[in-house]
Amino acid sequence: MLDRIRIVLIGTSHPGNIGGVARAMHNMGLADLALVAPRCDVLTQESISRASGADHLLHRAAIHATLEDAVADCTLAVGASARSRTLPWPMISPRELAERLPTECRPANARIALVFGREDSGLTNAELQRCHAHVHIPTNADFSSLNLAAAVQVLAYECRMAWLTQADAPPAQEDDEEAALASHEELERYFEHLERTLIAIEFHDPAQPRQLMARLRRLYLRARPEKMEMNILRGILSATEKAAQPNTTPR
Ligand code: SAH
């Protein structure tokens, strides 16, 4: 289960924090670290010293240009956020996240991303809207923002507790075979196709977006579509494009 959990750090600016994250992860048995457009060097004296012996995670860390690349294969993405944002999104506590993990990790293609933001400005709305849910660590309302590595430590601890509890639970039944969920990449391709189609049929005006795409994202992410369902939805979009513009080939 712990092998299926990836820690994703976006735009980190302090090597010490990256090292602190590696230490927190290794302490709790997590090993999959992905960095999105880091704003500092990853392997420095400071990051290695803060990793305190967990620097193999830094050497192995994947570096990506975008969040999409870092979570392309993920079936669940949860964004860690210190603040609530304009469009309400499913919000869970670290404990609720832990309760969901054993089931989330069960399908054969399961891959979970826990996404953390920049030290100075957190996660953007666009990044948060790419996540199925947001997790908020309950803190003093007047001083709610944890240090990045401390926030990773809290969620990594919950992951470990979920794993320890699960080790005591009876194994899943043979006939419990779960259908493969659509990956983040498949969902993103669907959202692009959906937006294109909605523009073509003049339902959506990008000049007056009114949060339409964000609301639709929230709806589809809540539904957790399977791969096969995603194919049906893509097929409906292609047929819609064809019906709307019979002379052009749908892309
Ligand atoms: N100043 C930023 C927070 C930066 S802390 C802001 O106001 O948004 C760096 C990252 O640690 C955050 O992006 C978030 O991913 C995580 N984090 C910090 N405090 C948190 C909390 N209380 N709950 C969940 N995540 C938190």
Side-chain angles (χ1 to χ4, degrees):
M1 184 181 122
L2 296 179
D3 292 345
R4 294 176 172 224
I5 300 172
R6 179 175 306 154
I7 299 295
V8 180
L9 307 182
I10 303 187
T12 312
S13 51
H14 296 296
N17 281 337
I18 302 181
V21 166
R23 179 181 188 171
M25 288 175 64
H26 192 42
N27 278 147
M28 296 298 135
L30 299 177
D32 187 354
L33 174 62
L35 305 165
V36 175
R39 290 180 290 163
C40 63
D41 288 334
V42 175
L43 281 168
T44 68
Q45 236 179 0
E46 201 188 349
S47 69
I48 291 171
S49 121
R50 284 280 306 276
S52 307
D55 51 294
H56 55 290
L57 264 68
L58 301 177
H59 289 278
R60 279 210 314 242
I63 300 188
H64 299 278
T66 65
L67 172 61
E68 282 72 43
D69 291 343
V71 300
D73 57 338
C74 290
T75 46
L76 179 78
V78 180
S81 178
R83 301 179 270 159
S84 69
R85 303 292 168 129
T86 37
L87 186 63
W89 216 257
M91 184 65 104
I92 54 175
S93 70
R95 203 54 51 88
E96 285 162 342
L97 169 68
E99 280 160 12
R100 279 176 66 170
L101 283 176
T103 316
E104 288 291 346
C105 288
R106 202 162 342 127
N109 73 329
R111 188 69 61 195
I112 318 297
L114 304 181
V115 184
F116 296 82
R118 300 155 190 82
E119 292 94 333
D120 49 356
S121 57
L123 293 165
T124 64
N125 285 337
E127 287 157 356
L128 284 165
Q129 286 168 7
R130 276 169 171 71
C131 297
H132 290 85
H134 301 159
V135 58
H136 176 73
I137 301 163
T139 39
N140 178 355
D142 300 328
F143 194 62
S144 66
S145 173
L146 274 78
N147 164 266
L148 175 62
V152 171
Q153 183 74 77
V154 171
L155 295 194
Y157 168 74
E158 289 293 343
C159 293
R160 185 162 192 86
M161 288 308 288
W163 176 68
L164 289 171
T165 315
Q166 182 215 234
D168 297 337
Q173 300 291 314
E174 287 256 336
D175 58 357
D176 235 15
E177 197 57 29
E178 315 247 343
L181 291 174
S183 68
H184 185 90
E185 189 178 23
E186 286 159 339
L187 276 157
E188 285 305 312
R189 274 210 305 268
Y190 176 72
F191 290 135
E192 280 165 25
H193 196 171
L194 179 64
E195 183 163 22
R196 231 168 38 228
T197 310
L198 295 180
I199 293 171
I201 62 172
E202 295 183 357
F203 183 82
H204 172 44
D205 177 3
Q208 289 216 314
R210 296 171 200 272
Q211 305 241 60
L212 175 71
M213 292 316 298
R215 289 178 199 282
L216 288 173
R217 258 176 193 284
R218 190 172 54 175
L219 165 68
Y220 284 104
L221 289 173
R222 191 166 66 226
R224 312 297 308 284
E226 295 168 8
K227 281 182 188 296
M228 186 264 288
E229 293 167 333
M230 205 80 281
N231 288 340
I232 296 173
L233 290 170
R234 293 281 312 257
I236 294 174
L237 291 183
S238 297
T240 309
E241 282 181 311
K242 204 165 153 195
Q245 287 181 307
N247 297 325
T248 59
T249 332
R251 275 177 288 172

mmCIF file with all atom_site columns, all heavy atoms in Angstrom, residues 153-164:
data_model
loop_
_atom_site.group_PDB
_atom_site.id
_atom_site.type_symbol
_atom_site.label_atom_id
_atom_site.label_alt_id
_atom_site.label_comp_id
_atom_site.label_asym_id
_atom_site.label_entity_id
_atom_site.label_seq_id
_atom_site.pdbx_PDB_ins_code
_atom_site.Cartn_x
_atom_site.Cartn_y
_atom_site.Cartn_z
_atom_site.occupancy
_atom_site.B_iso_or_equiv
_atom_site.pdbx_formal_charge
_atom_site.auth_seq_id
_atom_site.auth_comp_id
_atom_site.auth_asym_id
_atom_site.auth_atom_id
_atom_site.pdbx_PDB_model_num
ATOM 1   N N   . GLN A 1 153 ? 4.946  15.307 6.975  1.00 0.00 ? 153 GLN A N   1
ATOM 2   C CA  . GLN A 1 153 ? 5.096  14.362 8.094  1.00 0.00 ? 153 GLN A CA  1
ATOM 3   C C   . GLN A 1 153 ? 3.737  13.912 8.636  1.00 0.00 ? 153 GLN A C   1
ATOM 4   O O   . GLN A 1 153 ? 3.517  12.728 8.878  1.00 0.00 ? 153 GLN A O   1
ATOM 5   C CB  . GLN A 1 153 ? 5.912  15.033 9.222  1.00 0.00 ? 153 GLN A CB  1
ATOM 6   C CG  . GLN A 1 153 ? 6.186  14.145 10.389 1.00 0.00 ? 153 GLN A CG  1
ATOM 7   C CD  . GLN A 1 153 ? 7.254  13.096 10.072 1.00 0.00 ? 153 GLN A CD  1
ATOM 8   O OE1 . GLN A 1 153 ? 8.416  13.407 10.048 1.00 0.00 ? 153 GLN A OE1 1
ATOM 9   N NE2 . GLN A 1 153 ? 6.829  11.874 9.826  1.00 0.00 ? 153 GLN A NE2 1
ATOM 10  N N   . VAL A 1 154 ? 2.829  14.883 8.802  1.00 0.00 ? 154 VAL A N   1
ATOM 11  C CA  . VAL A 1 154 ? 1.508  14.555 9.365  1.00 0.00 ? 154 VAL A CA  1
ATOM 12  C C   . VAL A 1 154 ? 0.769  13.585 8.435  1.00 0.00 ? 154 VAL A C   1
ATOM 13  O O   . VAL A 1 154 ? 0.238  12.564 8.879  1.00 0.00 ? 154 VAL A O   1
ATOM 14  C CB  . VAL A 1 154 ? 0.669  15.837 9.583  1.00 0.00 ? 154 VAL A CB  1
ATOM 15  C CG1 . VAL A 1 154 ? -0.762 15.484 9.964  1.00 0.00 ? 154 VAL A CG1 1
ATOM 16  C CG2 . VAL A 1 154 ? 1.307  16.712 10.658 1.00 0.00 ? 154 VAL A CG2 1
ATOM 17  N N   . LEU A 1 155 ? 0.748  13.880 7.141  1.00 0.00 ? 155 LEU A N   1
ATOM 18  C CA  . LEU A 1 155 ? -0.003 13.006 6.221  1.00 0.00 ? 155 LEU A CA  1
ATOM 19  C C   . LEU A 1 155 ? 0.704  11.660 6.038  1.00 0.00 ? 155 LEU A C   1
ATOM 20  O O   . LEU A 1 155 ? 0.046  10.619 5.936  1.00 0.00 ? 155 LEU A O   1
ATOM 21  C CB  . LEU A 1 155 ? -0.222 13.692 4.873  1.00 0.00 ? 155 LEU A CB  1
ATOM 22  C CG  . LEU A 1 155 ? -1.103 14.951 4.917  1.00 0.00 ? 155 LEU A CG  1
ATOM 23  C CD1 . LEU A 1 155 ? -1.524 15.352 3.506  1.00 0.00 ? 155 LEU A CD1 1
ATOM 24  C CD2 . LEU A 1 155 ? -2.347 14.755 5.771  1.00 0.00 ? 155 LEU A CD2 1
ATOM 25  N N   . ALA A 1 156 ? 2.042  11.665 6.042  1.00 0.00 ? 156 ALA A N   1
ATOM 26  C CA  . ALA A 1 156 ? 2.786  10.407 5.904  1.00 0.00 ? 156 ALA A CA  1
ATOM 27  C C   . ALA A 1 156 ? 2.525  9.515  7.119  1.00 0.00 ? 156 ALA A C   1
ATOM 28  O O   . ALA A 1 156 ? 2.399  8.298  6.999  1.00 0.00 ? 156 ALA A O   1
ATOM 29  C CB  . ALA A 1 156 ? 4.279  10.687 5.755  1.00 0.00 ? 156 ALA A CB  1
ATOM 30  N N   . TYR A 1 157 ? 2.406  10.137 8.290  1.00 0.00 ? 157 TYR A N   1
ATOM 31  C CA  . TYR A 1 157 ? 2.092  9.373  9.511  1.00 0.00 ? 157 TYR A CA  1
ATOM 32  C C   . TYR A 1 157 ? 0.714  8.719  9.388  1.00 0.00 ? 157 TYR A C   1
ATOM 33  O O   . TYR A 1 157 ? 0.532  7.547  9.719  1.00 0.00 ? 157 TYR A O   1
ATOM 34  C CB  . TYR A 1 157 ? 2.153  10.301 10.730 1.00 0.00 ? 157 TYR A CB  1
ATOM 35  C CG  . TYR A 1 157 ? 1.580  9.700  11.989 1.00 0.00 ? 157 TYR A CG  1
ATOM 36  C CD1 . TYR A 1 157 ? 2.277  8.723  12.693 1.00 0.00 ? 157 TYR A CD1 1
ATOM 37  C CD2 . TYR A 1 157 ? 0.329  10.109 12.466 1.00 0.00 ? 157 TYR A CD2 1
ATOM 38  C CE1 . TYR A 1 157 ? 1.732  8.156  13.845 1.00 0.00 ? 157 TYR A CE1 1
ATOM 39  C CE2 . TYR A 1 157 ? -0.217 9.549  13.616 1.00 0.00 ? 157 TYR A CE2 1
ATOM 40  C CZ  . TYR A 1 157 ? 0.488  8.569  14.300 1.00 0.00 ? 157 TYR A CZ  1
ATOM 41  O OH  . TYR A 1 157 ? -0.049 8.013  15.430 1.00 0.00 ? 157 TYR A OH  1
ATOM 42  N N   . GLU A 1 158 ? -0.250 9.480  8.866  1.00 0.00 ? 158 GLU A N   1
ATOM 43  C CA  . GLU A 1 158 ? -1.598 8.921  8.685  1.00 0.00 ? 158 GLU A CA  1
ATOM 44  C C   . GLU A 1 158 ? -1.559 7.753  7.691  1.00 0.00 ? 158 GLU A C   1
ATOM 45  O O   . GLU A 1 158 ? -2.273 6.775  7.863  1.00 0.00 ? 158 GLU A O   1
ATOM 46  C CB  . GLU A 1 158 ? -2.580 10.005 8.218  1.00 0.00 ? 158 GLU A CB  1
ATOM 47  C CG  . GLU A 1 158 ? -2.924 11.029 9.292  1.00 0.00 ? 158 GLU A CG  1
ATOM 48  C CD  . GLU A 1 158 ? -3.719 10.447 10.461 1.00 0.00 ? 158 GLU A CD  1
ATOM 49  O OE1 . GLU A 1 158 ? -4.284 9.339  10.332 1.00 0.00 ? 158 GLU A OE1 1
ATOM 50  O OE2 . GLU A 1 158 ? -3.762 11.096 11.518 1.00 0.00 ? 158 GLU A OE2 1
ATOM 51  N N   . CYS A 1 159 ? -0.743 7.889  6.644  1.00 0.00 ? 159 CYS A N   1
ATOM 52  C CA  . CYS A 1 159 ? -0.613 6.793  5.676  1.00 0.00 ? 159 CYS A CA  1
ATOM 53  C C   . CYS A 1 159 ? -0.072 5.549  6.383  1.00 0.00 ? 159 CYS A C   1
ATOM 54  O O   . CYS A 1 159 ? -0.539 4.437  6.177  1.00 0.00 ? 159 CYS A O   1
ATOM 55  C CB  . CYS A 1 159 ? 0.341  7.160  4.541  1.00 0.00 ? 159 CYS A CB  1
ATOM 56  S SG  . CYS A 1 159 ? -0.260 8.472  3.480  1.00 0.00 ? 159 CYS A SG  1
ATOM 57  N N   . ARG A 1 160 ? 0.928  5.756  7.218  1.00 0.00 ? 160 ARG A N   1
ATOM 58  C CA  . ARG A 1 160 ? 1.534  4.614  7.915  1.00 0.00 ? 160 ARG A CA  1
ATOM 59  C C   . ARG A 1 160 ? 0.536  3.962  8.866  1.00 0.00 ? 160 ARG A C   1
ATOM 60  O O   . ARG A 1 160 ? 0.427  2.738  8.929  1.00 0.00 ? 160 ARG A O   1
ATOM 61  C CB  . ARG A 1 160 ? 2.783  5.055  8.686  1.00 0.00 ? 160 ARG A CB  1
ATOM 62  C CG  . ARG A 1 160 ? 3.481  3.877  9.308  1.00 0.00 ? 160 ARG A CG  1
ATOM 63  C CD  . ARG A 1 160 ? 4.905  4.120  9.713  1.00 0.00 ? 160 ARG A CD  1
ATOM 64  N NE  . ARG A 1 160 ? 5.537  2.840  10.024 1.00 0.00 ? 160 ARG A NE  1
ATOM 65  C CZ  . ARG A 1 160 ? 6.112  2.055  9.142  1.00 0.00 ? 160 ARG A CZ  1
ATOM 66  N NH1 . ARG A 1 160 ? 6.156  2.422  7.874  1.00 0.00 ? 160 ARG A NH1 1
ATOM 67  N NH2 . ARG A 1 160 ? 6.630  0.905  9.491  1.00 0.00 ? 160 ARG A NH2 1
ATOM 68  N N   . MET A 1 161 ? -0.216 4.792  9.606  1.00 0.00 ? 161 MET A N   1
ATOM 69  C CA  . MET A 1 161 ? -1.220 4.246  10.522 1.00 0.00 ? 161 MET A CA  1
ATOM 70  C C   . MET A 1 161 ? -2.259 3.450  9.745  1.00 0.00 ? 161 MET A C   1
ATOM 71  O O   . MET A 1 161 ? -2.695 2.386  10.184 1.00 0.00 ? 161 MET A O   1
ATOM 72  C CB  . MET A 1 161 ? -1.898 5.377  11.317 1.00 0.00 ? 161 MET A CB  1
ATOM 73  C CG  . MET A 1 161 ? -1.012 6.004  12.372 1.00 0.00 ? 161 MET A CG  1
ATOM 74  S SD  . MET A 1 161 ? -0.253 4.811  13.493 1.00 0.00 ? 161 MET A SD  1
ATOM 75  C CE  . MET A 1 161 ? -1.665 4.312  14.480 1.00 0.00 ? 161 MET A CE  1
ATOM 76  N N   . ALA A 1 162 ? -2.667 3.955  8.587  1.00 0.00 ? 162 ALA A N   1
ATOM 77  C CA  . ALA A 1 162 ? -3.663 3.240  7.766  1.00 0.00 ? 162 ALA A CA  1
ATOM 78  C C   . ALA A 1 162 ? -3.089 1.900  7.328  1.00 0.00 ? 162 ALA A C   1
ATOM 79  O O   . ALA A 1 162 ? -3.769 0.880  7.347  1.00 0.00 ? 162 ALA A O   1
ATOM 80  C CB  . ALA A 1 162 ? -4.036 4.082  6.548  1.00 0.00 ? 162 ALA A CB  1
ATOM 81  N N   . TRP A 1 163 ? -1.820 1.899  6.983  1.00 0.00 ? 163 TRP A N   1
ATOM 82  C CA  . TRP A 1 163 ? -1.162 0.667  6.521  1.00 0.00 ? 163 TRP A CA  1
ATOM 83  C C   . TRP A 1 163 ? -1.049 -0.349 7.667  1.00 0.00 ? 163 TRP A C   1
ATOM 84  O O   . TRP A 1 163 ? -1.331 -1.527 7.500  1.00 0.00 ? 163 TRP A O   1
ATOM 85  C CB  . TRP A 1 163 ? 0.215  1.012  5.950  1.00 0.00 ? 163 TRP A CB  1
ATOM 86  C CG  . TRP A 1 163 ? 1.011  -0.175 5.535  1.00 0.00 ? 163 TRP A CG  1
ATOM 87  C CD1 . TRP A 1 163 ? 0.743  -1.017 4.503  1.00 0.00 ? 163 TRP A CD1 1
ATOM 88  C CD2 . TRP A 1 163 ? 2.213  -0.644 6.154  1.00 0.00 ? 163 TRP A CD2 1
ATOM 89  N NE1 . TRP A 1 163 ? 1.700  -1.986 4.427  1.00 0.00 ? 163 TRP A NE1 1
ATOM 90  C CE2 . TRP A 1 163 ? 2.617  -1.783 5.442  1.00 0.00 ? 163 TRP A CE2 1
ATOM 91  C CE3 . TRP A 1 163 ? 2.978  -0.208 7.238  1.00 0.00 ? 163 TRP A CE3 1
ATOM 92  C CZ2 . TRP A 1 163 ? 3.768  -2.500 5.775  1.00 0.00 ? 163 TRP A CZ2 1
ATOM 93  C CZ3 . TRP A 1 163 ? 4.110  -0.917 7.565  1.00 0.00 ? 163 TRP A CZ3 1
ATOM 94  C CH2 . TRP A 1 163 ? 4.496  -2.049 6.827  1.00 0.00 ? 163 TRP A CH2 1
ATOM 95  N N   . LEU A 1 164 ? -0.676 0.156  8.866  1.00 0.00 ? 164 LEU A N   1
ATOM 96  C CA  . LEU A 1 164 ? -0.547 -0.741 10.022 1.00 0.00 ? 164 LEU A CA  1
ATOM 97  C C   . LEU A 1 164 ? -1.898 -1.347 10.388 1.00 0.00 ? 164 LEU A C   1
ATOM 98  O O   . LEU A 1 164 ? -1.995 -2.523 10.711 1.00 0.00 ? 164 LEU A O   1
ATOM 99  C CB  . LEU A 1 164 ? 0.021  0.030  11.227 1.00 0.00 ? 164 LEU A CB  1
ATOM 100 C CG  . LEU A 1 164 ? 1.491  0.423  11.130 1.00 0.00 ? 164 LEU A CG  1
ATOM 101 C CD1 . LEU A 1 164 ? 1.882  1.352  12.268 1.00 0.00 ? 164 LEU A CD1 1
ATOM 102 C CD2 . LEU A 1 164 ? 2.378  -0.825 11.130 1.00 0.00 ? 164 LEU A CD2 1
#
